[in-house]
Amino acid sequence: MPSNATLHRQRTLGGALGVIVLGCALTYHFFPRVFHVNPAEAPRRSMSMGTTLPGNPQQPERASAIAELDAGPPLILAPAAVIAAHSGRNANLPEQLSADPPAVRELLSRAGKALHAGQLVGDKDSAAALYAQALKEKPDSRRAAQGLFDVRVRLVAQIDQDIAAGDADSAEDLLDALRTLPEAADDVAKLEASLKTLARVRPMLARAAGLLQQGKADQPGGGSALDLYREVQQLDPQNAVAEQGIFEVQRAVLDRALAAVAQNDFSGADKQLAAADAIRPGSQQMQDVRKRVNDMREQRANGVLAQAHSALDAGNVALAGKLAAQAQAIDPGLAALAAFEEQLTNARLYASYKPGQVFTDRYVDLPGKTPAMVVIPTGSFQMGASDSDEDHIDAEMPQHAVTIDKGFAMARSAITVGQFREFVRASGYVPDSVKLGGASVYDERSGVMRDDSSATWQDDYAGHKADDNLPVVNISWNDAKAYADWLSQRTGKVYRLPSEAEFEYALRGGTTTRYWWGNGVPTHPVENLTGSGDRSRSGRRWSHAFRGYRDGYWGPAPVMSFAPNPFGLYDINGNVSEWAADCWHDNYMRAPGDGSAWLNPGCTAHVVRGGSWGSSPEQDVSAYRQGTNSDVRSGRVGFRVVREL
């Protein structure tokens, strides 16, 4: 570590240097002439030539020329030496017969330094004068000829820059110097023509700069800064001031676009962006501002969409829709919009569920939950049979269009014995099979259905005690409706029997074929159907069945033993036929087309839909329907429920 004495010396030296620097700064500020600086003297481009050219003293009107330049936009031009180096021009050099003598080499060395320092012309120590002297003493010196050529090229480049910047006075000074150089006649002629053009466009540039400062960048049409700059470009296509002015005009328009965004006027911002792009298509500043606007657009749209999500979560679908529309108006391409629109549609049509989604409702006043429900998508279909359908019956006619424009959920399977038992125990309800006594069950000996006064809902299709996972049969329409009403009371939701139109729509699952699985015999087990390969306990066969089909069951199978249809429903056209809410009508004349149940006050017969374990192939077609009294109990008929969304 340094000693205390060393630290003291370092601090003393640093303090002294600081005082000296401060003193120099104060002297420069208050007495600049001590440093040979005249603060009132404006710098001139011709200073790069050395001393002022004889016969061209500073003119009073230079102040106005500088004012005109300052009124316009700033320019960024490459150094003249760089422009000259990339000009591609080559000198016509003499053939040198002998080496340069020492005196000439000394002149060339001085000339090179002057050229490097930018002292091109103007006095005897300028690069032009020294190279000319060297050529006078040795006319075949290639270095001298090349040097004089370099002076001319740089001088031409510097004059071009002055003309591009609109500094006619400096260009005139340098042009006078160029005239003194050999082989410069062509360059002088071109530059004189450019100066004449500059004299014409210079007042136009000044007016354009004034209009730009007044805020008349691109408006009004025909009297804006942009119009003047375009006119200048027609006269002088390479005019850098006009090009830079157009850059500033575009920037002014882009500023208006950003101002519109600040007011959440993205439509106005788009108009300004379009106007700016027409001025200088694809410019970098155009791309930068467009990205800023798009970022702000996306940020704002996401903010509005977040509010829409909050409204949707609160159950205010109408407000959520309005906010989503606002977000789309702000940013139609917002990536999250599609997903939210799906949520919004689901909320409108499916109470925020999704088509195909499976759910259950829990009871609000006692333990337990509803059967599993699957959400059925909205859509339209042709209900009934067409004239061309073989084996159609009058009850299936006329075929008519039905539109399901509100989603609903349907039990995935028929209600089971166990589920119905839960209802009876909890509610104390007495089913018709008990209250009225008996049901219709299958007689193995005769192979037909027979009345059995002792059969109840707790028995299977043959009158034997049923397992809990079998579909409940021996159920009347009244029993099925009572179960649906009980679910509504237990959940606070609307449960009911499906309308006939809802049942056929759900059964078809979006298909238009004879059966939901196709037009003929299934190639694999799809439902519990009457197959020629099935056998009863006593070896009975079906007299009219799907040929070559076997599902392994005679009588109902446990629910969900087979594949679901396209809407995710099990046993929808097999196992057991099912009650619908509609009253029975002999045909579809005047049937509703909105999917609602067709009811008549006091009707005593209702619709049964779907095939069963004992239905013939004609009774399994999607359009098949039958009607029966509301108090009928059969070992071939069960039911499932619908939940409104």
Side-chain angles (χ1 to χ4, degrees), residues 11 103 140 171 185 197 216 320 406 470 489-490 516 528 558 582-583 596 608 621:
R11 289 170 181 168
D140 65 344
T197 301
K216 299 178 180 179
K406 185 72 170 72
L470 286 173
Q489 295 170 3
R490 299 286 73 79
W516 69 255
N528 181 8
D582 302 57
C583 296
S596 60
V608 173
V621 297

Short mmCIF file of all heavy atoms in Angstrom, two decimals, residues 11 103 140 171 185 197 216 320 406 470 489-490 516 528 558 582-583 596 608 621:
data_model
loop_
_atom_site.label_atom_id
_atom_site.label_comp_id
_atom_site.label_asym_id
_atom_site.label_seq_id
_atom_site.Cartn_x
_atom_site.Cartn_y
_atom_site.Cartn_z
N ARG A 11 -2.54 13.67 -4.02
CA ARG A 11 -3.68 14.56 -3.84
C ARG A 11 -3.32 16.00 -4.19
O ARG A 11 -4.11 16.73 -4.81
CB ARG A 11 -4.19 14.48 -2.41
CG ARG A 11 -4.87 13.14 -2.10
CD ARG A 11 -5.15 13.01 -0.62
NE ARG A 11 -5.78 11.72 -0.33
CZ ARG A 11 -5.94 11.24 0.91
NH1 ARG A 11 -5.51 11.94 1.95
NH2 ARG A 11 -6.53 10.07 1.08
N ALA A 103 14.16 16.97 -54.81
CA ALA A 103 13.38 18.19 -54.65
C ALA A 103 11.90 17.92 -54.96
O ALA A 103 10.99 18.42 -54.29
CB ALA A 103 13.93 19.29 -55.57
N ASP A 140 6.80 14.24 -66.10
CA ASP A 140 6.35 12.84 -66.18
C ASP A 140 6.20 12.18 -64.81
O ASP A 140 6.12 10.95 -64.71
CB ASP A 140 7.33 12.04 -67.04
CG ASP A 140 8.72 11.95 -66.41
OD1 ASP A 140 8.99 12.74 -65.48
OD2 ASP A 140 9.50 11.07 -66.83
N ALA A 171 -20.20 26.47 -52.70
CA ALA A 171 -19.97 25.76 -53.95
C ALA A 171 -19.34 26.68 -55.00
O ALA A 171 -18.45 26.26 -55.76
CB ALA A 171 -21.29 25.19 -54.47
N ALA A 185 -12.57 21.04 -67.19
CA ALA A 185 -13.62 21.74 -67.93
C ALA A 185 -14.96 20.99 -67.88
O ALA A 185 -16.02 21.60 -67.67
CB ALA A 185 -13.19 21.94 -69.38
N THR A 197 -29.50 24.87 -61.27
CA THR A 197 -30.67 24.18 -60.72
C THR A 197 -30.85 24.52 -59.25
O THR A 197 -31.98 24.75 -58.78
CB THR A 197 -30.52 22.66 -60.88
OG1 THR A 197 -30.37 22.34 -62.26
CG2 THR A 197 -31.72 21.92 -60.32
N LYS A 216 -47.61 22.17 -41.92
CA LYS A 216 -48.22 21.81 -43.20
C LYS A 216 -47.32 20.81 -43.92
O LYS A 216 -46.83 21.07 -45.02
CB LYS A 216 -48.45 23.05 -44.04
CG LYS A 216 -49.38 24.07 -43.39
CD LYS A 216 -49.53 25.32 -44.25
CE LYS A 216 -50.46 26.34 -43.59
NZ LYS A 216 -50.60 27.57 -44.39
N ALA A 320 -69.23 -8.92 -22.10
CA ALA A 320 -68.05 -9.61 -22.62
C ALA A 320 -68.01 -9.55 -24.14
O ALA A 320 -66.95 -9.35 -24.75
CB ALA A 320 -68.03 -11.06 -22.14
N LYS A 406 -79.55 -23.71 -29.54
CA LYS A 406 -79.11 -23.56 -28.15
C LYS A 406 -78.60 -24.91 -27.66
O LYS A 406 -79.27 -25.92 -27.80
CB LYS A 406 -80.27 -23.10 -27.27
CG LYS A 406 -79.88 -22.80 -25.83
CD LYS A 406 -79.06 -21.52 -25.74
CE LYS A 406 -78.87 -21.07 -24.29
NZ LYS A 406 -77.95 -21.93 -23.52
N LEU A 470 -77.36 -51.95 -14.79
CA LEU A 470 -78.23 -52.15 -15.94
C LEU A 470 -79.13 -50.93 -16.12
O LEU A 470 -79.45 -50.23 -15.15
CB LEU A 470 -79.10 -53.39 -15.75
CG LEU A 470 -78.40 -54.75 -15.88
CD1 LEU A 470 -79.36 -55.87 -15.49
CD2 LEU A 470 -77.90 -54.94 -17.32
N GLN A 489 -84.81 -30.18 -8.79
CA GLN A 489 -84.93 -29.71 -7.41
C GLN A 489 -83.63 -29.87 -6.64
O GLN A 489 -83.25 -29.02 -5.84
CB GLN A 489 -86.06 -30.48 -6.71
CG GLN A 489 -87.44 -30.23 -7.29
CD GLN A 489 -88.47 -31.19 -6.74
OE1 GLN A 489 -88.17 -32.01 -5.86
NE2 GLN A 489 -89.70 -31.10 -7.25
N ARG A 490 -82.93 -30.95 -6.88
CA ARG A 490 -81.71 -31.23 -6.12
C ARG A 490 -80.52 -30.36 -6.57
O ARG A 490 -79.58 -30.15 -5.81
CB ARG A 490 -81.31 -32.70 -6.28
CG ARG A 490 -82.32 -33.70 -5.79
CD ARG A 490 -82.39 -33.77 -4.25
NE ARG A 490 -83.03 -32.65 -3.61
CZ ARG A 490 -84.35 -32.47 -3.53
NH1 ARG A 490 -85.18 -33.33 -4.09
NH2 ARG A 490 -84.85 -31.43 -2.89
N TRP A 516 -76.58 -44.46 -37.24
CA TRP A 516 -75.46 -43.55 -36.97
C TRP A 516 -74.13 -44.17 -37.34
O TRP A 516 -73.16 -43.46 -37.61
CB TRP A 516 -75.49 -43.06 -35.51
CG TRP A 516 -75.19 -44.08 -34.42
CD1 TRP A 516 -76.08 -44.66 -33.59
CD2 TRP A 516 -73.91 -44.58 -34.03
NE1 TRP A 516 -75.46 -45.52 -32.71
CE2 TRP A 516 -74.11 -45.47 -32.96
CE3 TRP A 516 -72.60 -44.39 -34.47
CZ2 TRP A 516 -73.07 -46.16 -32.32
CZ3 TRP A 516 -71.57 -45.06 -33.84
CH2 TRP A 516 -71.80 -45.94 -32.78
N ASN A 528 -76.04 -52.73 -28.52
CA ASN A 528 -76.71 -53.98 -28.16
C ASN A 528 -77.93 -54.11 -29.07
O ASN A 528 -78.99 -53.56 -28.80
CB ASN A 528 -77.12 -53.96 -26.69
CG ASN A 528 -77.80 -55.26 -26.27
OD1 ASN A 528 -77.85 -56.23 -27.03
ND2 ASN A 528 -78.35 -55.26 -25.06
N PRO A 558 -75.07 -54.06 -19.41
CA PRO A 558 -74.70 -52.95 -18.54
C PRO A 558 -74.43 -51.70 -19.39
O PRO A 558 -73.90 -51.79 -20.51
CB PRO A 558 -73.43 -53.45 -17.85
CG PRO A 558 -73.56 -54.94 -17.87
CD PRO A 558 -74.24 -55.26 -19.18
N ASP A 582 -92.23 -35.44 -25.93
CA ASP A 582 -93.34 -35.06 -26.81
C ASP A 582 -94.57 -35.94 -26.65
O ASP A 582 -94.48 -37.15 -26.37
CB ASP A 582 -92.88 -35.16 -28.27
CG ASP A 582 -91.68 -34.29 -28.56
OD1 ASP A 582 -90.63 -34.45 -27.87
OD2 ASP A 582 -91.74 -33.46 -29.46
N CYS A 583 -95.72 -35.31 -26.88
CA CYS A 583 -96.94 -36.08 -27.08
C CYS A 583 -96.85 -36.79 -28.43
O CYS A 583 -96.16 -36.33 -29.34
CB CYS A 583 -98.17 -35.16 -27.06
SG CYS A 583 -98.45 -34.34 -25.47
N SER A 596 -87.86 -27.92 -30.11
CA SER A 596 -88.65 -27.99 -28.88
C SER A 596 -89.60 -29.18 -28.91
O SER A 596 -89.91 -29.74 -29.97
CB SER A 596 -89.44 -26.69 -28.70
OG SER A 596 -90.33 -26.49 -29.78
N VAL A 608 -91.70 -42.74 -27.97
CA VAL A 608 -90.56 -43.58 -27.59
C VAL A 608 -89.60 -43.60 -28.77
O VAL A 608 -90.02 -43.83 -29.92
CB VAL A 608 -91.01 -45.01 -27.23
CG1 VAL A 608 -89.80 -45.91 -27.00
CG2 VAL A 608 -91.91 -45.00 -26.01
N VAL A 621 -83.42 -47.83 -37.36
CA VAL A 621 -83.00 -46.70 -38.19
C VAL A 621 -83.17 -45.42 -37.40
O VAL A 621 -84.03 -45.30 -36.51
CB VAL A 621 -83.81 -46.65 -39.50
CG1 VAL A 621 -83.55 -47.89 -40.35
CG2 VAL A 621 -85.29 -46.48 -39.23
#
